[in-house]
Amino acid sequence: MSRATRAAPQRTIVDEPAARWWAAGSILLGLLAAAPLLLHAGFLNTRSGGDSPFLLFRLHQLYRALADGVFPVRWMPDAAFGLGYPFFSYYAALPYYAAALFHWLGLSYVLSLKLTHLLGFVIAAWGMYHWVKAPTGRPAAAFLASAAYTFAPYHLVNVYLRGDSLAEFWAMAWLPWIMLAIHRAARRPNARTVAGVGLAFGALLMTHNVTALIAAPFIALYALIGALVPGESAPDREGAPPRRALLLALGGLLGLALAAWAWLPALAEQGYVQLEAQ
């Protein structure tokens, strides 16, 4: 037996038709989690640590600015009793742009926000399924992980109790996709997989500042572990841990660059607002 044959990794054989059913089941989990939002025509009323009508105001102000040709949006012109408020300079707001797209398509503000929540549930559930399935090769286990993630109390509280934390809720949708992108890039380091890391990490940065700050060390640790695990590429220079680590780091830098329009002004313009209580 040759050395190359001995070094070849063993792969778990997955029943792809069954896996597709499990994947569809993970999407169904997201739909079930969002069902209470769609069971009545009105907007969700939350009174426990949050206030969901704030979402309507934020979306209205963002859409008004976009309609005036402003991008990226920084200012809420009607906030603070009409004096204006630089909300979007200091609060990452990618999910609100998704809601604005729904409204641009002709849907009401209320329905646009409901569909944005629905999309967040589905993306989170589907991403967790694919992340767990990638290293384990076990669709049933991946489905179970997706169910646990979708119906985790914290995930549901952000929608049904806090209400106004749309960005924080959506941040959880990107976390499994970031881990999946790192897993793929660590095993097959190339331009496409590294770009996937950048897109997923950049989406998190553009969605919720605080979650990105908290999650960044754990994401970096996961990437470091992935760089040290033998990949599926050639066992010489192409698959060497230093090269994989460098490419994963480049993916993170790409994410920072893609999201610079969201986080750079928040850091550069701190002196113009009162942030002591934040």
Side-chain angles (χ1 to χ4, degrees), residues 125-253:
W126 202 35
M128 180 56 71
Y129 170 82
H130 283 288
W131 175 34
V132 175
K133 177 179 172 290
T136 65
R138 299 178 181 272
F143 175 82
L144 182 61
S146 178
Y149 194 66
T150 300
F151 294 100
Y154 174 74
H155 199 36
L156 298 178
V157 161
N158 272 333
V159 176
Y160 294 112
L161 291 181
R162 296 181 63 192
D164 62 344
S165 52
L166 176 63
E168 189 171 343
F169 162 76
W170 258 80
M172 290 190 67
W174 298 125
L175 293 175
W177 289 103
I178 294 172
M179 301 306 188
L180 175 63
I182 291 173
H183 175 82
R184 290 174 173 173
R187 276 146 183 76
R188 294 182 179 177
N190 54 52
R192 180 177 61 84
T193 56
V194 171
V197 175
L199 289 173
F201 185 52
L204 176 64
L205 291 167
M206 290 183 282
T207 296
H208 193 242
N209 319 51
V210 178
T211 300
L213 185 64
I214 294 173
F218 298 97
I219 293 171
L221 178 61
Y222 186 75
L224 179 61
I225 294 173
L228 298 177
V229 175
E232 297 175 3
S233 52
D236 52 11
R237 288 179 55 191
E238 184 180 3
R243 181 179 184 275
R244 290 200 299 270
L246 176 60
L247 289 175
L248 289 172
L250 289 176
L253 292 175

Side-chain angles (χ1 to χ4, degrees), residues 38 102 107 110-120 170:
L38 305 173
F102 284 127
L107 304 179
V110 170
L111 184 55
S112 297
L113 285 167
K114 287 185 176 184
L115 290 179
T116 303
H117 280 96
L118 171 64
L119 189 60
W170 258 80

